[in-house]
Amino acid sequence: MTGQAAASAVVEFVIQGLTLDGRPFRPGDWAERLCGVMSAFGGDHRMQYSPYVHPVTAGGLRCVVVDIRLEEIEPMAYRFLLSFARDNELRTRDGRVAERTELARLQRAGDTN
């Protein structure tokens, strides 16, 4: 990929807390529970979400964002997440593109220069 194509490549997908027939997925903390499966203890001895899987609220809807690099790093975990969405009939959609993901990372770090 070059320049613009690389910047517009989708780098994540989103599992939405809404079933294919439009019902909210329960329990309400499903996204945190799912991400908890992928979490680990950090150097501060506290649980931390994986940098590849994290819960978000988008448009008032609980979601899980999955970085597609997880497929190469941990293929079984990636397949597990896809199967979870399919088995529970949850909607999925493309997430951010590379350019927006890098901007978000810089903003979290407080350095937008």
Side-chain angles (χ1 to χ4, degrees), residues 3-42:
Q4 186 64 24
S8 62
V10 173
V11 296
E12 61 190 23
F13 72 91
V14 179
I15 302 171
Q16 298 177 307
L18 201 58
T19 62
L20 296 175
D21 62 3
R23 290 179 292 123
F25 187 62
R26 300 284 182 240
D29 65 345
W30 74 271
E32 290 77 10
R33 289 182 185 202
L34 183 58
C35 292
V37 171
M38 301 290 297
S39 61
F41 283 99

Side-chain angles (χ1 to χ4, degrees), residues 85-105:
R86 183 187 62 243
D87 294 348
N88 289 287
E89 299 182 345
L90 296 176
R91 295 180 185 187
T92 60
R93 64 171 178 80
D94 288 344
R96 293 182 291 198
V97 295
E99 186 176 82
R100 286 190 56 217
T101 299
E102 179 61 13
L103 179 59
R105 185 190 68 75

Side-chain angles (χ1 to χ4, degrees), residues 56-68:
V56 298
T57 300
L61 188 63
R62 294 303 293 153
C63 302
V64 170
V65 176
V66 180
D67 186 312
I68 61 171

